[in-house]
Amino acid sequence: MEEQPLNDALGNWKRTHYCGDISSADIGNEVCLMGWVQRRRDHGGLIFIYLRDREGIAQLALDPDRDPEAHEKADKVRNEYVVAVKGTISPRPEGTVNPKMKTGEVEVEVSELRILNVSKTPPFMLDDHVDVAENIRLKHRYLDLRRPALQKNMILRHQVTKTVRNYLDEQGFLEIETPVLTKSTPEGARDYLVPSRVNGGNFFALPQSPQLFKQLLMVSGYDRYCQIVKCFRDEDLRADRQPEFTQIDCEMSFVDTNDVMTIMENMIARVFKETIGVEVTAPMARMTYAEAMDRFGVDNPDLRFDLELTELSSIVEGCGFKVFADAVKNGGMVKAINAKGCATFSRKDLDDLTEFVKIYGAKGLAWVKMTEEGWQSPIAKFFTPEELEKINQALDAQVGDLLMFVADSTSITNESLGRLRGHLGQKLGLAKKDDYQFVWITDFPLLEWDGEAKRHVAVHHPFTAPRDEDLALLDTDPGKACAKAYDLVLNGSEIGGGSIRIHDQSIQSKMFNLLGIGDEEAQEKFGFLLDALEYGAPPHGGLAFGLDRLVMILTGSDSIRDVIAFPKTQKATCLLSGAPGEVDDKQLQELSIRLRIRKKE
RNA sequence: GGGGCUGUAGUAGAGUCGGUUACAACGCCGGCCUGUCACGCCGGAGGUCGCGGGUUCGAGUCCCGUCAGCCCCGCCA
């Protein structure tokens, strides 16, 4: 099917303005604009065209009496055609100014129009107000990315990285690239592997982070390193998690925890100021891990609202309600939240909340509605008046409040109630999008016990230094040692984290032993780091921010996919390119690889 | 590996108790319209109801399976 070629040559036309940049200041000037047709409104005579580029939209006016030739050409124009126009900026006639538009005071009286390229009718309207299923958007991502909302996100993302680079440069950081084809490391996430053709049977791993290399750069004396870098983890996806993601990765020498936190919080404050104009006060709040778990049940508390957790173990110990008493007796705990004024929740609401805590392993959710007559609750009968009074007092329970309790192991109680707290904050509208509450979480445990593997695993990673005062604990009670680790949490989201590293080879060896990694294995996996530590490694530490999550919050996006140009689906595929895909037998042969599953027909 | 939600013209939706030819909107095509701005008016085209099987005289609708997208648990140092 042959189409009449409609395209005009660009010729020697030079664009003078972005569409979104024309204003009253340009009135009377000759301009040349180029962009995409957002919409054409044909009034029989007069034709209006919305011309769009990345900076915004300009209204073109084509009058048949003034320029019959351009008007005739405009008749052929359709949505998403690529058009260039020359014309005069003129004020819109009295009463036709559009205050909703940035360029709404003016329009372009077109004298000449060139159709640079035609377009098929796109599969969906490129308006921000049109909802389109995400799989359709991802398949035609190049069109989706043409929508103003997504362009705004990408531009803001650029502003973030630009601000970060400027700041880090001023602070003496050097951006140094590290390998993408590197070595698989145990611990941590599943690696993405790349087969080596030259070394048949061997594999590279894509980096989960440049961790070891940035430490080596400190040993090499670069003093301050940074990199905005892709990292890869072959784990399942979430709304805020992609298998390839970007970190703002930093490391510096001759510093301790407070030095790192200070430099980094100032960077974040600057980013907020320069990208969305929000003043963030530094220094930011700090809270130990222990306090966060006690008050909020999680290590990434959302501080935009209260709803804090209260532990009632000592009150309900030995009480008549077996569920509570047993939880305490078995080494667990009982905690509660007081949702002020929520006694109006329906039975269904409460059932839903119960289902919610069950996701995190809680066996149930006990609740109490505070009424004029006291407790209205299925569990009221199990408690003595004294116990009721003590619980009311501990929770500051008033008429109209809703009390919710979980009794379980310490970890399940904390996590389920902590998540319930976050859930309620959203549900009750307490978490405002334009409220930014930062908090550093510090003094994480160094190790945690993995019951399945019957060994300690690093809470942060195996190169994290213990607190100086806890060094002796490594020999006596390693589970009690705290780490020089810190996470920056914003509105319940961990946006960055890091630690001071071990620069002493003997302590590093001790860590590996505690983690059940033998000398031989350690030498094989991390030998190069252990060796490097023996050649004058300076004290050093750093951290990495998740750029995607940060931009997600700055743009108010609900999904990480809205701030990544070409994201993957939840099954880690790319609907645009079709990746991952099969490869030729010849390619496999070169890589010394034989498949154990048959290719699809 | 597991739980949940969704899938109907290009797009996003409605579709009753299983019953005639699957609706109206936006978009698209044609016509009209000289100040609109999510322009308006008239007309038209456009459907493998995700896919496969089953129940039934009859399935978009009920059942089973499967695929895809999304949210979550596990996982993510």
Side-chain angles (χ1 to χ4, degrees):
Chain A
M1 169 184 89
E2 289 299 306
E3 280 181 15
Q4 190 78 11
L6 282 169
N7 295 352
D8 299 318
L10 177 61
N12 61 356
W13 282 24
K14 303 293 175 209
R15 181 174 58 192
T16 61
H17 293 71
Y18 280 120
C19 295
D21 288 345
I22 62 168
S23 71
S24 306
D26 305 304
I27 286 170
N29 291 343
E30 284 285 318
V31 298
C32 178
L33 304 181
M34 302 182 189
W36 287 260
V37 173
Q38 169 83 17
R39 211 163 177 82
R40 169 176 149 277
R41 293 186 299 277
D42 184 348
H43 288 255
L46 208 54
I47 293 176
F48 294 105
I49 291 174
Y50 268 0
L51 194 66
R52 177 189 65 230
D53 61 26
R54 71 169 208 216
E55 299 301 324
I57 289 175
Q59 173 163 284
L60 313 178
L62 293 111
D63 188 332
D65 303 330
R66 196 176 57 235
D67 292 290
E69 208 174 311
H71 180 270
E72 196 177 324
K73 209 153 212 177
D75 196 49
K76 297 194 185 74
V77 160
R78 293 293 180 272
N79 285 354
E80 301 311 320
Y81 275 32
V82 184
V83 163
V85 294
K86 284 186 172 176
T88 312
I89 304 288
S90 62
R92 294 197 189 180
E94 190 76 32
T96 64
V97 165
N98 186 346
K100 283 183 284 187
M101 271 177 98
K102 189 176 144 205
T103 63
E105 290 184 4
V106 294
E107 63 191 11
V108 182
E109 284 183 359
V110 175
S111 55
E112 221 180 325
L113 183 148
R114 289 183 177 176
I115 296 175
L116 301 180
N117 209 349
V118 297
S119 169
K120 298 210 294 191
T121 301
F124 50 89
M125 283 283 285
L126 305 190
D127 278 1
D128 286 338
H129 67 267
V130 175
D131 268 343
V132 183
E134 200 162 0
N135 52 342
I136 310 273
R137 290 174 50 198
L138 291 175
K139 186 174 176 192
H140 305 277
R141 189 62 166 177
Y142 45 89
L143 294 177
D144 196 27
L145 283 168
R146 200 183 280 169
R147 302 166 91 179
L150 245 53
Q151 292 202 336
K152 203 169 144 251
N153 289 355
M154 296 305 140
I155 291 168
L156 193 136
R157 187 177 173 122
H158 160 78
Q159 287 165 343
V160 171
T161 54
K162 189 184 71 165
T163 304
V164 162
R165 284 200 168 98
N166 287 346
Y167 175 84
L168 291 173
D169 176 63
E170 288 163 24
Q171 298 293 323
F173 286 80
L174 302 172
E175 184 157 11
I176 299 173
E177 290 163 272
T178 51
V180 170
L181 294 175
T182 178
K183 198 176 178 193
S184 178
T185 53
E187 307 283 309
R190 199 175 290 118
D191 287 318
Y192 273 101
L193 297 177
V194 180
S196 166
R197 175 184 59 83
V198 180
N199 303 284
N202 288 341
F203 292 81
F204 297 101
L206 304 182
Q208 295 175 28
S209 80
Q211 183 61 37
L212 297 179
F213 288 102
K214 68 176 175 177
Q215 290 192 238
L216 294 180
L217 288 169
M218 294 303 102
V219 176
S220 303
Y222 285 87
D223 194 59
R224 290 188 171 190
Y225 143 95
C226 70
Q227 191 180 192
I228 295 177
V229 60
K230 275 282 180 75
C231 302
F232 306 87
R233 295 176 190 175
D234 188 4
E235 298 293 348
D236 289 339
L237 294 83
R238 289 287 187 277
D240 62 353
R241 228 161 69 192
Q242 285 266 306
E244 59 174 316
F245 60 99
T246 306
Q247 282 190 344
I248 302 167
D249 193 42
C250 300
E251 194 77 3
M252 52 195 110
S253 298
F254 308 112
V255 292
D256 207 342
T257 50
N258 276 319
D259 305 310
V260 178
M261 287 191 277
T262 300
I263 289 175
M264 290 301 141
E265 68 193 7
N266 285 329
M267 178 180 87
I268 293 298
R270 174 120 153 228
V271 166
F272 271 71
K273 174 84 171 133
E274 291 191 9
T275 59
I276 59 170
V278 168
E279 291 282 357
V280 176
T281 49
M284 294 170 179
R286 312 217 171 161
M287 187 183 292
T288 64
Y289 170 87
E291 183 181 352
M293 296 306 287
D294 181 45
R295 291 172 58 194
F296 305 101
V298 294
D299 63 6
N300 56 346
D302 190 335
L303 298 190
R304 287 175 293 181
F305 50 90
D306 296 330
L307 287 176
E308 291 190 23
L309 279 52
T310 304
E311 183 169 359
L312 304 169
S313 301
S314 61
I315 299 175
V316 300
E317 191 179 14
C319 75
F321 187 36
K322 213 163 147 24
V323 174
F324 283 11
D326 284 357
V328 179
K329 197 168 73 186
N330 297 332
M333 56 167 34
V334 178
K335 275 186 160 180
I337 292 180
N338 179 357
K340 288 276 167 197
C342 290
T344 52
F345 276 25
S346 67
R347 185 57 199 248
K348 172 151 194 335
D349 291 330
L350 294 167
D351 286 346
D352 289 347
L353 296 179
T354 304
E355 287 308 308
F356 183 87
V357 295
K358 282 182 178 171
I359 295 173
Y360 302 98
K363 286 178 279 295
L365 182 72
W367 53 265
V368 172
K369 290 180 175 181
M370 295 299 295
T371 68
E372 299 286 357
E373 291 78 39
W375 279 33
Q376 182 201 323
S377 169
I379 62 166
K381 59 190 172 207
F382 298 112
F383 295 93
T384 66
E386 292 74 31
E387 286 164 345
L388 294 182
E389 183 50 34
K390 277 187 189 164
I391 292 172
N392 287 346
Q393 221 158 47
L395 295 173
D396 184 31
Q398 313 286 337
V399 172
D401 291 352
L402 175 67
L403 317 180
M404 285 161 285
F405 306 75
V406 170
D408 216 302
S409 67
T410 300
S411 62
I412 287 179
T413 302
N414 273 328
E415 179 166 26
S416 59
L417 259 190
R419 299 291 197 117
L420 179 67
R421 173 181 175 273
H423 179 68
L424 282 170
Q426 295 290 333
K427 184 179 154 86
L428 298 173
L430 302 173
K432 301 269 189 310
K433 261 193 174 166
D434 57 355
D435 182 14
Y436 302 97
Q437 295 296 330
F438 293 88
V439 60
W440 286 104
I441 306 298
T442 64
D443 299 278
F444 281 82
L446 186 66
L447 303 163
E448 72 187 336
W449 184 253
D450 182 337
E452 226 170 275
K454 299 254 193 301
R455 66 182 183 98
H456 283 106
V457 292
V459 168
H460 189 57
H461 60 50
F463 319 106
T464 298
R467 292 192 304 193
D468 299 333
E469 62 267 38
D470 293 351
L471 262 178
L473 285 172
L474 295 188
D475 298 316
T476 55
D477 194 356
K480 285 234 160 60
C482 282
K484 289 188 177 181
Y486 32 80
D487 278 358
L488 184 59
V489 171
L490 167 56
N491 294 355
S493 188
E494 182 206 323
I495 61 169
S499 63
I500 299 301
R501 327 297 182 188
I502 298 169
H503 65 280
D504 181 317
Q505 198 272 345
S506 62
I507 298 177
Q508 186 65 69
S509 288
K510 191 174 280 182
M511 261 307 271
F512 283 140
N513 285 335
L514 285 170
L515 295 172
I517 300 173
D519 288 347
E520 205 173 311
E521 188 186 356
Q523 195 57 40
E524 202 237 317
K525 306 289 188 190
F526 315 105
F528 60 106
L529 177 70
L530 294 177
D531 291 346
L533 293 181
E534 297 191 273
Y535 288 97
H540 63 285
L543 108 180
F545 286 100
L547 176 66
D548 312 282
R549 278 188 199 174
L550 183 60
V551 177
M552 193 174 150
I553 293 171
L554 287 165
T555 57
S557 304
D558 293 322
S559 163
I560 199 172
R561 296 180 297 278
D562 284 344
V563 300
I564 295 174
F566 299 102
K568 305 246 179 319
T569 67
Q570 190 162 52
K571 285 189 73 184
T573 66
C574 172
L575 295 181
L576 175 66
S577 67
E582 294 173 355
V583 295
D584 292 343
D585 287 338
K586 182 162 176 292
Q587 288 177 287
L588 290 175
Q589 211 167 352
E590 282 184 330
L591 296 169
S592 315
I593 287 178
R594 187 180 297 141
L595 298 182
R596 294 182 66 184
I597 53 172
R598 213 175 269 167
K599 287 187 182 181
K600 286 187 203 128
E601 286 306 313

